Amino acid sequence: MMITDFIYYDLKVAALIAVFYLFYQLLLAREAMPSLNRAVLLTAIALSLVLPLCVVTIHVSAPLAPLADSGGFTTPMDLVAPPSATQKPTAATPLGAELWGSILGTILAAGILIRLSVVARSCWQLHRLIANGERHTLPSGTQVCVVESPVAPFSWMHTVVLSRAEWLSLSPSVLAHEEAHVRHRHSYDVLVVEVLTALQWFNPVVWFLRQELRTLHEYEADASVLSRGFDESQYIHLLMQKATGIQACALANGIHTPKTKKRILMMLKTKSNRGAWLKALYIVPVVLTSRADDPDSKFYS
């Protein structure tokens, strides 16, 4: 039964993620508010994982029916309804259902393990690359690792990684971009969404959400660079130069990304007005609706 329960849980998570992401695309995806959009997606992920575990219990007070006269005395047994003569024991789970549950559970577990092994391998590659690099601490406190590999600049956790050639001709805007990734803790988002893709490897919506979140990281870092006073046209020219760089690892956040055109269009886009954040409240009715329609919700009267 535990395997079947986990399959049901994973399917509920998949359904919630699909609903949240659909409303996100309809209401928020085109807004030039990367920090808000990132927060909404992370909240949607958290709610999708937690809500299927919650059981809503609503107690409604109701008056008791009058008790039959039994000489002025009421025993506890009078309050207990006798079992129905026609009540039948619950039928055992059919053997075929158990077999299919085991097969689906095995396939699901295999996919999860394979995906987690890929993520673990990528983390190990990043750790080994950074461990073998040359460490520097900038006056701003930023930790920089210089490596001999000709990789595009990227950041992982608290470290900015640069190739030897990039370090010798360090661009302030490149460093500002990678520092923004570190400051906003984008690597933690990456780990969260990678674990989610392991649990939901069969769900195509999760892969779209994963890519959307990575794009929002770049939007947020770009906005941080421009907010520090860097020239917009020069920065756009830099992005076009870095678009052909070699990416060190799929997990890492870096200035190199195949979404360069989308990033440039986002920078040139008129910023959304402050009232646009109200659209993020779509999460509230989605949560309420999901709990109201949940067959596991229990109502007592």
Side-chain angles (χ1 to χ4, degrees), residues 34-35 172-173 175-184 186 216-231 235 263 267 271:
S35 296
S173 53
L175 182 61
H177 180 94
E178 300 308 329
E179 285 180 322
H181 282 307
V182 172
R183 187 169 60 255
H184 290 293
H186 288 161
L216 288 174
H217 287 169
E218 299 307 319
Y219 291 165
E220 196 170 28
D222 292 338
S224 179
V225 172
L226 297 180
S227 68
R228 294 178 58 176
F230 288 91
D231 182 80
Y235 184 65
R263 291 167 62 185
M267 283 187 283
K271 303 305 178 185

mmCIF file of all heavy atoms in Angstrom, residues 34-35 172-173 175-184 186 216-231 235 263 267 271:
data_model
loop_
_atom_site.group_PDB
_atom_site.id
_atom_site.type_symbol
_atom_site.label_atom_id
_atom_site.label_comp_id
_atom_site.label_asym_id
_atom_site.label_seq_id
_atom_site.Cartn_x
_atom_site.Cartn_y
_atom_site.Cartn_z
ATOM 1 N N PRO A 34 10.884 39.863 -12.515
ATOM 2 C CA PRO A 34 11.525 38.557 -12.301
ATOM 3 C C PRO A 34 11.576 38.108 -10.853
ATOM 4 O O PRO A 34 11.408 36.916 -10.573
ATOM 5 C CB PRO A 34 12.927 38.758 -12.882
ATOM 6 C CG PRO A 34 13.144 40.239 -12.907
ATOM 7 C CD PRO A 34 11.793 40.831 -13.141
ATOM 8 N N SER A 35 11.800 39.034 -9.921
ATOM 9 C CA SER A 35 11.883 38.632 -8.511
ATOM 10 C C SER A 35 10.536 38.118 -8.013
ATOM 11 O O SER A 35 10.466 37.104 -7.296
ATOM 12 C CB SER A 35 12.342 39.812 -7.654
ATOM 13 O OG SER A 35 13.661 40.201 -8.010
ATOM 14 N N PRO A 172 33.971 44.138 -15.320
ATOM 15 C CA PRO A 172 33.175 44.450 -14.121
ATOM 16 C C PRO A 172 31.713 44.024 -14.236
ATOM 17 O O PRO A 172 31.115 43.576 -13.251
ATOM 18 C CB PRO A 172 33.303 45.969 -14.008
ATOM 19 C CG PRO A 172 34.561 46.307 -14.730
ATOM 20 C CD PRO A 172 34.646 45.327 -15.861
ATOM 21 N N SER A 173 31.133 44.127 -15.439
ATOM 22 C CA SER A 173 29.726 43.755 -15.597
ATOM 23 C C SER A 173 29.542 42.237 -15.504
ATOM 24 O O SER A 173 28.533 41.755 -14.975
ATOM 25 C CB SER A 173 29.179 44.277 -16.933
ATOM 26 O OG SER A 173 29.988 43.877 -18.012
ATOM 27 N N LEU A 175 31.432 40.236 -13.657
ATOM 28 C CA LEU A 175 31.544 39.953 -12.230
ATOM 29 C C LEU A 175 30.272 40.359 -11.499
ATOM 30 O O LEU A 175 29.795 39.637 -10.616
ATOM 31 C CB LEU A 175 32.753 40.695 -11.652
ATOM 32 C CG LEU A 175 33.030 40.463 -10.166
ATOM 33 C CD1 LEU A 175 33.311 38.987 -9.902
ATOM 34 C CD2 LEU A 175 34.208 41.321 -9.708
ATOM 35 N N ALA A 176 29.693 41.507 -11.856
ATOM 36 C CA ALA A 176 28.457 41.968 -11.215
ATOM 37 C C ALA A 176 27.317 40.988 -11.477
ATOM 38 O O ALA A 176 26.485 40.730 -10.587
ATOM 39 C CB ALA A 176 28.095 43.363 -11.724
ATOM 40 N N HIS A 177 27.286 40.435 -12.670
ATOM 41 C CA HIS A 177 26.241 39.460 -13.010
ATOM 42 C C HIS A 177 26.364 38.207 -12.144
ATOM 43 O O HIS A 177 25.363 37.728 -11.584
ATOM 44 C CB HIS A 177 26.350 39.095 -14.496
ATOM 45 C CG HIS A 177 25.319 38.105 -14.944
ATOM 46 N ND1 HIS A 177 24.129 38.484 -15.514
ATOM 47 C CD2 HIS A 177 25.301 36.743 -14.912
ATOM 48 C CE1 HIS A 177 23.416 37.417 -15.806
ATOM 49 N NE2 HIS A 177 24.112 36.340 -15.456
ATOM 50 N N GLU A 178 27.567 37.685 -12.049
ATOM 51 C CA GLU A 178 27.756 36.464 -11.262
ATOM 52 C C GLU A 178 27.577 36.727 -9.765
ATOM 53 O O GLU A 178 27.073 35.874 -9.037
ATOM 54 C CB GLU A 178 29.136 35.869 -11.536
ATOM 55 C CG GLU A 178 29.380 35.491 -12.985
ATOM 56 C CD GLU A 178 28.286 34.606 -13.567
ATOM 57 O OE1 GLU A 178 27.686 33.831 -12.814
ATOM 58 O OE2 GLU A 178 28.029 34.710 -14.776
ATOM 59 N N GLU A 179 27.981 37.902 -9.299
ATOM 60 C CA GLU A 179 27.756 38.250 -7.902
ATOM 61 C C GLU A 179 26.257 38.322 -7.594
ATOM 62 O O GLU A 179 25.829 37.976 -6.484
ATOM 63 C CB GLU A 179 28.420 39.592 -7.580
ATOM 64 C CG GLU A 179 29.927 39.515 -7.436
ATOM 65 C CD GLU A 179 30.544 40.874 -7.123
ATOM 66 O OE1 GLU A 179 30.064 41.888 -7.687
ATOM 67 O OE2 GLU A 179 31.500 40.925 -6.315
ATOM 68 N N ALA A 180 25.469 38.753 -8.573
ATOM 69 C CA ALA A 180 24.016 38.804 -8.376
ATOM 70 C C ALA A 180 23.447 37.403 -8.183
ATOM 71 O O ALA A 180 22.572 37.181 -7.341
ATOM 72 C CB ALA A 180 23.350 39.495 -9.566
ATOM 73 N N HIS A 181 23.942 36.432 -8.957
ATOM 74 C CA HIS A 181 23.505 35.041 -8.774
ATOM 75 C C HIS A 181 23.818 34.556 -7.358
ATOM 76 O O HIS A 181 22.994 33.898 -6.718
ATOM 77 C CB HIS A 181 24.202 34.133 -9.787
ATOM 78 C CG HIS A 181 23.620 34.188 -11.168
ATOM 79 N ND1 HIS A 181 22.288 33.994 -11.435
ATOM 80 C CD2 HIS A 181 24.211 34.418 -12.374
ATOM 81 C CE1 HIS A 181 22.068 34.091 -12.733
ATOM 82 N NE2 HIS A 181 23.221 34.348 -13.332
ATOM 83 N N VAL A 182 25.014 34.878 -6.883
ATOM 84 C CA VAL A 182 25.418 34.448 -5.543
ATOM 85 C C VAL A 182 24.566 35.144 -4.491
ATOM 86 O O VAL A 182 24.077 34.508 -3.545
ATOM 87 C CB VAL A 182 26.916 34.748 -5.312
ATOM 88 C CG1 VAL A 182 27.293 34.486 -3.856
ATOM 89 C CG2 VAL A 182 27.776 33.915 -6.253
ATOM 90 N N ARG A 183 24.386 36.446 -4.650
ATOM 91 C CA ARG A 183 23.638 37.231 -3.662
ATOM 92 C C ARG A 183 22.174 36.781 -3.550
ATOM 93 O O ARG A 183 21.611 36.736 -2.456
ATOM 94 C CB ARG A 183 23.721 38.710 -4.008
ATOM 95 C CG ARG A 183 23.113 39.633 -2.963
ATOM 96 C CD ARG A 183 23.471 41.080 -3.230
ATOM 97 N NE ARG A 183 22.997 41.541 -4.534
ATOM 98 C CZ ARG A 183 23.778 41.730 -5.598
ATOM 99 N NH1 ARG A 183 25.094 41.495 -5.519
ATOM 100 N NH2 ARG A 183 23.280 42.155 -6.742
ATOM 101 N N HIS A 184 21.575 36.433 -4.674
ATOM 102 C CA HIS A 184 20.174 35.999 -4.669
ATOM 103 C C HIS A 184 20.017 34.511 -4.377
ATOM 104 O O HIS A 184 18.881 34.009 -4.387
ATOM 105 C CB HIS A 184 19.524 36.321 -6.017
ATOM 106 C CG HIS A 184 19.323 37.786 -6.264
ATOM 107 N ND1 HIS A 184 18.440 38.560 -5.537
ATOM 108 C CD2 HIS A 184 19.900 38.634 -7.150
ATOM 109 C CE1 HIS A 184 18.459 39.805 -5.975
ATOM 110 N NE2 HIS A 184 19.357 39.886 -6.948
ATOM 111 N N HIS A 186 20.655 31.776 -6.083
ATOM 112 C CA HIS A 186 19.998 31.051 -7.156
ATOM 113 C C HIS A 186 20.371 29.567 -7.174
ATOM 114 O O HIS A 186 19.582 28.738 -7.645
ATOM 115 C CB HIS A 186 20.352 31.690 -8.503
ATOM 116 C CG HIS A 186 19.691 33.019 -8.717
ATOM 117 N ND1 HIS A 186 20.140 33.941 -9.639
ATOM 118 C CD2 HIS A 186 18.606 33.588 -8.131
ATOM 119 C CE1 HIS A 186 19.358 35.006 -9.606
ATOM 120 N NE2 HIS A 186 18.430 34.825 -8.699
ATOM 121 N N LEU A 216 14.333 33.093 -15.261
ATOM 122 C CA LEU A 216 14.077 34.166 -14.294
ATOM 123 C C LEU A 216 15.338 34.521 -13.513
ATOM 124 O O LEU A 216 15.548 35.688 -13.145
ATOM 125 C CB LEU A 216 12.958 33.750 -13.333
ATOM 126 C CG LEU A 216 11.553 33.705 -13.925
ATOM 127 C CD1 LEU A 216 10.567 33.145 -12.902
ATOM 128 C CD2 LEU A 216 11.101 35.086 -14.373
ATOM 129 N N HIS A 217 16.175 33.540 -13.245
ATOM 130 C CA HIS A 217 17.455 33.813 -12.578
ATOM 131 C C HIS A 217 18.282 34.796 -13.411
ATOM 132 O O HIS A 217 18.891 35.732 -12.869
ATOM 133 C CB HIS A 217 18.243 32.518 -12.392
ATOM 134 C CG HIS A 217 17.677 31.632 -11.325
ATOM 135 N ND1 HIS A 217 18.104 30.335 -11.147
ATOM 136 C CD2 HIS A 217 16.731 31.850 -10.375
ATOM 137 C CE1 HIS A 217 17.444 29.794 -10.141
ATOM 138 N NE2 HIS A 217 16.611 30.689 -9.654
ATOM 139 N N GLU A 218 18.304 34.563 -14.721
ATOM 140 C CA GLU A 218 19.084 35.452 -15.587
ATOM 141 C C GLU A 218 18.454 36.844 -15.667
ATOM 142 O O GLU A 218 19.159 37.852 -15.655
ATOM 143 C CB GLU A 218 19.209 34.842 -16.979
ATOM 144 C CG GLU A 218 19.921 33.500 -17.018
ATOM 145 C CD GLU A 218 21.276 33.545 -16.327
ATOM 146 O OE1 GLU A 218 22.008 34.536 -16.494
ATOM 147 O OE2 GLU A 218 21.604 32.572 -15.608
ATOM 148 N N TYR A 219 17.121 36.901 -15.746
ATOM 149 C CA TYR A 219 16.450 38.204 -15.739
ATOM 150 C C TYR A 219 16.790 38.982 -14.471
ATOM 151 O O TYR A 219 17.056 40.184 -14.510
ATOM 152 C CB TYR A 219 14.932 38.016 -15.806
ATOM 153 C CG TYR A 219 14.388 37.486 -17.109
ATOM 154 C CD1 TYR A 219 13.089 36.983 -17.186
ATOM 155 C CD2 TYR A 219 15.151 37.500 -18.279
ATOM 156 C CE1 TYR A 219 12.569 36.504 -18.370
ATOM 157 C CE2 TYR A 219 14.645 37.011 -19.472
ATOM 158 C CZ TYR A 219 13.342 36.510 -19.505
ATOM 159 O OH TYR A 219 12.830 36.034 -20.685
ATOM 160 N N GLU A 220 16.757 38.274 -13.346
ATOM 161 C CA GLU A 220 17.009 38.926 -12.055
ATOM 162 C C GLU A 220 18.451 39.414 -11.966
ATOM 163 O O GLU A 220 18.715 40.520 -11.472
ATOM 164 C CB GLU A 220 16.692 37.957 -10.916
ATOM 165 C CG GLU A 220 16.550 38.619 -9.563
ATOM 166 C CD GLU A 220 16.012 37.672 -8.513
ATOM 167 O OE1 GLU A 220 16.221 36.441 -8.627
ATOM 168 O OE2 GLU A 220 15.379 38.151 -7.559
ATOM 169 N N ALA A 221 19.388 38.598 -12.445
ATOM 170 C CA ALA A 221 20.795 39.008 -12.422
ATOM 171 C C ALA A 221 21.034 40.175 -13.373
ATOM 172 O O ALA A 221 21.788 41.109 -13.054
ATOM 173 C CB ALA A 221 21.684 37.822 -12.796
ATOM 174 N N ASP A 222 20.404 40.141 -14.545
ATOM 175 C CA ASP A 222 20.546 41.251 -15.498
ATOM 176 C C ASP A 222 20.020 42.556 -14.904
ATOM 177 O O ASP A 222 20.650 43.611 -15.033
ATOM 178 C CB ASP A 222 19.789 40.941 -16.794
ATOM 179 C CG ASP A 222 20.425 39.797 -17.585
ATOM 180 O OD1 ASP A 222 21.621 39.538 -17.378
ATOM 181 O OD2 ASP A 222 19.709 39.175 -18.397
ATOM 182 N N ALA A 223 18.850 42.477 -14.260
ATOM 183 C CA ALA A 223 18.273 43.679 -13.650
ATOM 184 C C ALA A 223 19.170 44.212 -12.543
ATOM 185 O O ALA A 223 19.307 45.430 -12.366
ATOM 186 C CB ALA A 223 16.883 43.354 -13.088
ATOM 187 N N SER A 224 19.817 43.305 -11.805
ATOM 188 C CA SER A 224 20.727 43.729 -10.739
ATOM 189 C C SER A 224 21.931 44.463 -11.307
ATOM 190 O O SER A 224 22.388 45.471 -10.747
ATOM 191 C CB SER A 224 21.178 42.507 -9.932
ATOM 192 O OG SER A 224 22.080 42.875 -8.914
ATOM 193 N N VAL A 225 22.455 43.967 -12.440
ATOM 194 C CA VAL A 225 23.609 44.621 -13.083
ATOM 195 C C VAL A 225 23.246 46.034 -13.524
ATOM 196 O O VAL A 225 23.966 47.005 -13.257
ATOM 197 C CB VAL A 225 24.103 43.793 -14.285
ATOM 198 C CG1 VAL A 225 25.158 44.563 -15.076
ATOM 199 C CG2 VAL A 225 24.686 42.466 -13.810
ATOM 200 N N LEU A 226 22.114 46.176 -14.203
ATOM 201 C CA LEU A 226 21.703 47.493 -14.709
ATOM 202 C C LEU A 226 21.364 48.447 -13.569
ATOM 203 O O LEU A 226 21.564 49.663 -13.687
ATOM 204 C CB LEU A 226 20.499 47.334 -15.642
ATOM 205 C CG LEU A 226 20.755 46.520 -16.917
ATOM 206 C CD1 LEU A 226 19.496 46.423 -17.761
ATOM 207 C CD2 LEU A 226 21.893 47.133 -17.731
ATOM 208 N N SER A 227 20.875 47.919 -12.444
ATOM 209 C CA SER A 227 20.548 48.782 -11.310
ATOM 210 C C SER A 227 21.800 49.373 -10.657
ATOM 211 O O SER A 227 21.717 50.357 -9.922
ATOM 212 C CB SER A 227 19.754 47.995 -10.259
ATOM 213 O OG SER A 227 20.573 47.009 -9.642
ATOM 214 N N ARG A 228 22.972 48.771 -10.947
ATOM 215 C CA ARG A 228 24.232 49.277 -10.404
ATOM 216 C C ARG A 228 24.864 50.341 -11.304
ATOM 217 O O ARG A 228 25.970 50.791 -11.039
ATOM 218 C CB ARG A 228 25.197 48.121 -10.181
ATOM 219 C CG ARG A 228 24.743 47.135 -9.104
ATOM 220 C CD ARG A 228 25.683 45.967 -8.938
ATOM 221 N NE ARG A 228 27.042 46.379 -8.602
ATOM 222 C CZ ARG A 228 28.034 45.532 -8.324
ATOM 223 N NH1 ARG A 228 27.790 44.223 -8.352
ATOM 224 N NH2 ARG A 228 29.234 45.964 -8.034
ATOM 225 N N GLY A 229 24.159 50.734 -12.372
ATOM 226 C CA GLY A 229 24.616 51.840 -13.203
ATOM 227 C C GLY A 229 25.396 51.462 -14.432
ATOM 228 O O GLY A 229 25.923 52.346 -15.123
ATOM 229 N N PHE A 230 25.468 50.175 -14.768
ATOM 230 C CA PHE A 230 26.182 49.773 -15.985
ATOM 231 C C PHE A 230 25.384 50.193 -17.213
ATOM 232 O O PHE A 230 24.149 50.175 -17.201
ATOM 233 C CB PHE A 230 26.424 48.265 -15.991
ATOM 234 C CG PHE A 230 27.463 47.816 -15.010
ATOM 235 C CD1 PHE A 230 27.121 47.433 -13.718
ATOM 236 C CD2 PHE A 230 28.805 47.796 -15.363
ATOM 237 C CE1 PHE A 230 28.080 47.028 -12.804
ATOM 238 C CE2 PHE A 230 29.774 47.385 -14.465
ATOM 239 C CZ PHE A 230 29.408 47.009 -13.178
ATOM 240 N N ASP A 231 26.090 50.539 -18.264
ATOM 241 C CA ASP A 231 25.445 50.986 -19.493
ATOM 242 C C ASP A 231 24.684 49.830 -20.135
ATOM 243 O O ASP A 231 25.240 48.744 -20.341
ATOM 244 C CB ASP A 231 26.494 51.529 -20.467
ATOM 245 C CG ASP A 231 25.874 52.056 -21.744
ATOM 246 O OD1 ASP A 231 25.370 53.190 -21.717
ATOM 247 O OD2 ASP A 231 25.900 51.324 -22.748
ATOM 248 N N TYR A 235 26.157 46.438 -22.020
ATOM 249 C CA TYR A 235 25.868 45.155 -21.370
ATOM 250 C C TYR A 235 25.204 44.194 -22.359
ATOM 251 O O TYR A 235 25.516 42.995 -22.388
ATOM 252 C CB TYR A 235 24.983 45.366 -20.148
ATOM 253 C CG TYR A 235 24.704 44.107 -19.367
ATOM 254 C CD1 TYR A 235 25.735 43.429 -18.719
ATOM 255 C CD2 TYR A 235 23.421 43.577 -19.298
ATOM 256 C CE1 TYR A 235 25.496 42.261 -18.013
ATOM 257 C CE2 TYR A 235 23.161 42.415 -18.586
ATOM 258 C CZ TYR A 235 24.202 41.764 -17.949
ATOM 259 O OH TYR A 235 23.961 40.601 -17.255
ATOM 260 N N ARG A 263 16.439 37.512 -22.965
ATOM 261 C CA ARG A 263 16.966 38.386 -21.909
ATOM 262 C C ARG A 263 17.074 39.825 -22.396
ATOM 263 O O ARG A 263 16.754 40.772 -21.661
ATOM 264 C CB ARG A 263 18.331 37.866 -21.451
ATOM 265 C CG ARG A 263 18.247 36.553 -20.692
ATOM 266 C CD ARG A 263 19.618 35.923 -20.533
ATOM 267 N NE ARG A 263 20.515 36.773 -19.761
ATOM 268 C CZ ARG A 263 21.791 36.504 -19.568
ATOM 269 N NH1 ARG A 263 22.320 35.409 -20.105
ATOM 270 N NH2 ARG A 263 22.554 37.306 -18.843
ATOM 271 N N MET A 267 15.069 43.130 -20.909
ATOM 272 C CA MET A 267 15.724 44.353 -20.439
ATOM 273 C C MET A 267 15.152 45.594 -21.119
ATOM 274 O O MET A 267 15.075 46.670 -20.513
ATOM 275 C CB MET A 267 17.234 44.261 -20.685
ATOM 276 C CG MET A 267 17.969 43.390 -19.688
ATOM 277 S SD MET A 267 19.767 43.474 -19.885
ATOM 278 C CE MET A 267 19.980 42.436 -21.325
ATOM 279 N N LYS A 271 8.945 48.283 -17.639
ATOM 280 C CA LYS A 271 8.739 47.614 -16.364
ATOM 281 C C LYS A 271 7.261 47.598 -15.990
ATOM 282 O O LYS A 271 6.529 48.556 -16.222
ATOM 283 C CB LYS A 271 9.538 48.307 -15.253
ATOM 284 C CG LYS A 271 11.033 48.381 -15.536
ATOM 285 C CD LYS A 271 11.629 47.018 -15.808
ATOM 286 C CE LYS A 271 13.109 47.090 -16.147
ATOM 287 N NZ LYS A 271 13.664 45.782 -16.524
#
